[in-house]
Amino acid sequence: MVVCGDDALAHRLAADLQDVYGERVTLVVPSAREPQRPRIPPPARALGRAGALLGRVSAAMVRPAPLSSEAAGDGAEPAEETLRILEAAQPDDAALTEAGIAGAGALALVYDDDELNIHAALRACRLNPRLRLVIRLYNRKLGQHLEELLDQAAAVAALGSEDAGDAEGADASTTVLSDADTVAPALAGAAVAGTSRVIEADGLLLRAVERAPVPPGRPGEPGLCTLALLSASANDPAGATGSAAGDEGPVLLPDEAATAAAAGCGTVVLETVSYTGRPIRRRWLRGRGAPLASLFSRRLRWSLGGVVGAVLALAVASSLTMGEDPVHAAYLSLLDLFAINDPAIHDPAPRKVLQLLSGLTGLLLLPVLVAAAFEGLGTFRSASALRRPPRGLSGHVVLLGLGKVGTRVLARLHEMGIPVVCIEGDPEARGIALARRLRVPTVLGDVTQEGVLEAAMIERAATLLALTSEDTTNLEACLYARSVSPRLRVTLRLFDDRFATAVYRTLRAAHPGALTRSRSVTYLAAPAFAGAMMGRQILGAIPVERRVLLIARFDVRGHAALEGRTVAEVLRPGRLRVLAVDTSAPDDAEPDAAAAAPPPPPEERTPAQLVHELGDDYVLRPQDRVLLVATRQGLGELHARNRQPAAARQSGARQG
């Protein structure tokens, strides 16, 4: 495996491939030293107890993050040294050749520059057309076109190959991923309780939910399965008794015996979610009359309604007193209103009075029309400006940072219908345009300055989501917000694992009644990139404290660890569990016909059957597809178990 990158994601991805999957990895980086994110010291001002807390954790900031994932191994033993580091300023032909791209199985291009990744991908395809590519791109539309282009190039190269056997065995494919898109659901879910960690797979909507410890003797709420037993440090207040994991970390994928013995322990369970479209349609219908309300204020609309009512009253009075046709009476009233009718000098007294009243109504109409013009012009002018937080806002999410990750999280929160107030110090940040288009309230300013968090109404917020690229900025915003609202739910994006551990434990001890979560973008995104390099389809990641569970989809055919085995035999507590099985393929399906058949559209796709519907004795057929939840170590072991029979078959074929 070859990994090319210039930030922490490349190092984390190389560590996953080496430690979890046991692959030989060549890491191509501008510098062999682990990249250290520059840290800006916080301003020297007292923040009460929050300032004292900052001093307690500042010592942990000088510790560099290791290359191998110490806390992310899910209990895995470190693998033997199979990592080669190559320094190269650019991924040019010479660097890729020296990295052994001609004989590599997969290449990951995870530079922070989309253009650089595209150029490197085109060079790699020219040097090795059968190479499996994993490319990091922020532009999703460009990524879709690039996938189609490179897949077509790989198919043409395979058909034109002289060695037909190699062409059939080649697994050349292109996968374009975005670290921001990969981690956005997890970060948005961490900010909002009850709507977190939703993954769609094979027609099923699955949601991982954290549940508080249940007192002994009281039955817990039923769920699809238990994904993890939380440690005592994850339960609030801190130090919950009865934890099966203690303070060392969570127990992932426990069996039924371990779950039953963990009374009083917080759990993460998996639930199914059904989709209903009626509430969305009702909201859309209510929003059809919104343009008039957005153009004119309520007071102005009442004023216009009063003027229209006065004109109608004058028309009715004119029709009754003068005996005229109602339409003609209304016409005369409008002429009098706009002062374009002849004076009623020789007309009866009632006609003179009505004309004077119409003229007075016209004078009242003039300022109303001017106000309407100014309000409409102001509305169109402010449509391109950032919206300020409304006065009565409460229970919202304060999103700090509108970079790549913050922009994706903002879009996800908006899709979920959650009120958000953004804070960004750079007026030219990537997410400012999205916030302006979505009409999301945004505060421009440095969050380390006083008054910025107050402008976002942090005292009324439910959650603070700090997603800037600076650990110290995120931490200082958390400390100050906690000094204003001690029970505020906080989710921090932290780069350094050791620093994140120190911050998490200290904040938990200082604020036992509040929820604190720390997330690393590279830690959450690396498993998806590593899975794509191994040729698997990773559907999503579920963070459990500082660890990750992966949702993956596998074809049973040709997989020795799955084909012909029951669901109970595939189960490996702490490593691997089968969630659902897609049994839509018929028993007599031919492999070539099944591969050539186009997939059905999403609205016609039959949802996969859950394990509790099939039973643990169900035998997996070759044409089935299984949905698995596993640790990274479990996926690595499953891959190793599949390679051993394949190697034995090849050895037997050579001997024959």
Side-chain angles (χ1 to χ4, degrees), residues 554-575:
F554 281 81
D555 291 327
V556 174
R557 188 181 303 276
H559 209 295
L562 300 175
E563 187 174 351
R565 299 179 181 271
T566 64
V567 173
E569 292 174 347
V570 178
L571 172 64
R572 304 194 64 188
R575 292 290 187 267

Side-chain angles (χ1 to χ4, degrees), residues 473-495:
T473 301
N474 296 333
L475 177 60
E476 186 175 1
C478 167
L479 297 175
Y480 185 72
R482 280 284 172 82
S483 66
V484 176
S485 179
R487 299 187 64 86
L488 180 70
R489 185 188 303 116
V490 175
T491 300
L492 299 176
R493 174 189 177 185
L494 297 178
F495 175 78

Side-chain angles (χ1 to χ4, degrees), residues 12-223:
R12 181 81 69 178
L13 177 56
D16 278 3
L17 292 172
Q18 178 193 17
D19 298 341
V20 178
Y21 296 101
E23 295 289 340
R24 291 178 299 148
V25 183
T26 299
L27 178 60
V28 181
V29 289
S31 175
R33 183 173 58 88
E34 174 85 11
Q36 294 296 319
R37 191 181 303 274
R39 308 187 190 278
I40 303 175
R45 67 170 183 266
L47 294 177
R49 187 174 69 171
L53 181 60
L54 176 60
R56 294 171 59 185
V57 299
S58 59
M61 297 171 55
V62 298
R63 302 176 182 176
L67 179 60
S68 62
S69 51
E70 295 180 358
D74 296 330
E77 296 294 334
E80 58 180 288
E81 189 66 26
T82 56
L83 177 64
R84 173 193 173 201
I85 300 179
L86 176 64
E87 293 187 18
Q90 297 288 334
D92 51 13
D93 291 353
L96 293 176
T97 302
E98 186 177 356
I101 200 67
L107 168 66
L109 299 168
V110 293
Y111 290 96
D112 198 30
D113 186 358
D114 286 3
E115 184 177 358
L116 184 60
N117 290 329
I118 294 174
H119 289 172
L122 296 177
R123 293 191 186 99
C125 285
R126 178 167 45 84
L127 296 175
N128 187 355
R130 304 176 190 176
L131 187 67
R132 185 187 305 124
L133 286 174
V134 178
I135 308 172
R136 173 187 181 182
L137 286 184
Y138 183 80
N139 192 328
R140 288 177 287 189
K141 292 184 178 180
L142 179 60
Q144 295 176 357
H145 295 303
L146 186 63
E147 277 188 358
E148 296 176 358
L149 174 63
L150 296 181
D151 284 343
Q152 290 177 0
V156 172
L159 292 176
S161 175
E162 297 180 357
D163 193 345
D166 292 344
E168 293 177 358
D171 189 15
S173 63
T174 302
T175 304
V176 177
L177 298 175
S178 169
D179 53 341
D181 286 331
T182 303
V183 304
L187 292 173
V192 183
T195 57
S196 60
R197 294 171 289 191
V198 176
I199 296 176
E200 183 177 3
D202 291 337
L204 296 174
L205 283 178
L206 304 176
R207 178 179 63 179
V209 181
E210 290 188 13
R211 290 182 178 172
V214 179
R218 181 181 302 177
E221 298 180 8

